Amino acid sequence: MIAALQMYDWPEVREATDRWWKAMADGLGVQVALARPAEFTDPWFRDDLLFAQTCGYPFTHALKGKVDYVGTPHYAADGCDGADYRSIVFAREGRPLEGFRGSVAAVNTPDSMSGMLALKLVFAPLAEQGRFFGRAVETGGHLASLAAVQAGRADVCAIDCVCVEMARRYRPSALEGLVEVARSPQVPGLPWITRAGDVGKIRMALRQVFADPALAEVRAALLLTGFSELPLSAYDAITEREAAMERAGGLRLL
């Protein structure tokens, strides 16, 4: 079996991530080390997936009906509200959103809720025939999007608020010279999923690691404060917002 937690697996918190997963694995009675494949999406599609965290957009699109939902973590981050989160839009200077017409947008990946769809939801109301930005560049990750805006290769980007909080705590240089210009609507956060695991047993192990006082420092390092077991229908907020945006004319990015 395979387990992977690469969505927020920054080098600064890798030790904490390993300790958190070790406690989870012990609770599940398995000896499965965390995998960190070069293509971080690969584990999501494996039949032997024990535990992983995915993005809400793949969860409601490419993975829909192919994985079992486990839960949605809560994070101590500005922009999070329980299991919900949002993206923060950054630029090098503050201006009304209309002032970014014709500019360059940085997008982490085409299937990202926080870096792609969130950006569309913010700027689509200003689009004309699906156009607003002059062009978009794909960066491969949130930190790379921030760097692109800092360096002037792009003018605006949308960043997952948990990543923003991690940058403030562990890598403040990633935000230097950038200002917040908007926030996206809230949607359910990045879900934990399984294919080969027992959802009930995994949830029991999660309750144990969140209740264990010996893991308080680990949870704090990872910004974790708890988790929710949401109904699957909660994630309809993502597809419904996307559909409403497209009906209104949409916004082309990549």
Side-chain angles (χ1 to χ4, degrees):
M1 289 191 289
I2 188 171
L5 293 169
Q6 291 179 272
M7 300 307 285
Y8 301 120
D9 190 28
W10 292 23
E12 293 89 340
V13 297
R14 191 151 294 168
E15 180 181 353
T17 301
D18 285 335
R19 288 178 61 191
W20 190 88
W21 171 248
K22 176 64 165 57
M24 279 290 296
D26 288 346
L28 292 170
V30 298
Q31 293 184 339
V32 177
L34 278 181
R36 292 183 169 97
E39 181 47 68
F40 69 91
T41 64
D42 284 351
W44 306 344
F45 297 91
R46 286 181 47 163
D47 290 337
D48 62 345
L49 174 64
L50 173 61
F51 190 76
Q53 186 174 30
T54 186
C55 171
Y57 196 87
F59 182 64
T60 55
H61 290 74
L63 294 172
K64 186 175 178 63
K66 299 177 181 178
V67 296
D68 293 324
Y69 169 77
V70 174
T72 306
H74 302 179
Y75 292 95
D78 177 25
C80 288
D81 181 11
D84 290 340
Y85 83 134
R86 65 174 77 237
S87 290
I88 300 175
V89 180
F90 286 99
R92 289 185 303 281
E93 60 181 27
R95 66 176 90 158
L97 296 185
E98 174 62 36
F100 292 99
R101 186 177 299 278
S103 64
V104 179
V107 179
N108 57 341
T109 60
D111 62 349
S112 170
M113 173 62 235
S114 55
M116 180 277 295
L117 183 56
L119 194 66
K120 286 186 174 185
L121 293 175
V122 169
F123 286 97
L126 302 174
E128 297 176 356
Q129 296 182 329
R131 298 287 186 183
F132 179 80
F133 296 109
R135 63 186 179 93
V137 294
E138 183 177 347
T139 66
H142 280 312
L143 287 172
S145 291
L146 289 169
V149 176
Q150 284 178 320
R153 297 190 301 274
D155 301 301
V156 65
C157 63
I159 307 297
D160 170 347
C161 66
V162 179
C163 283
V164 174
E165 193 66 34
M166 291 183 70
R168 287 173 177 149
R169 180 177 297 196
Y170 299 115
R171 208 177 298 185
S173 61
L175 300 174
E176 286 180 0
L178 302 180
V179 296
E180 177 183 331
V181 296
R183 294 191 173 201
S184 71
Q186 282 190 332
V187 295
L190 283 65
W192 286 317
I193 58 172
T194 186
R195 282 182 178 233
D198 182 303
V199 171
K201 290 181 179 179
I202 296 173
R203 286 174 172 172
M204 186 177 299
L206 282 167
R207 295 186 192 104
Q208 291 172 349
V209 299
F210 277 107
D212 188 348
L215 295 172
E217 182 179 331
V218 168
R219 293 192 298 270
L222 299 174
L223 310 180
L224 288 168
T225 61
F227 77 103
S228 292
E229 299 168 15
L230 300 175
L232 281 179
S233 59
Y235 281 87
D236 291 345
I238 293 175
T239 52
E240 288 170 357
R241 287 186 183 279
E242 181 180 40
M245 177 199 64
E246 294 296 344
R247 286 195 300 271
L251 174 61
R252 297 187 188 92
L253 280 178
L254 298 171

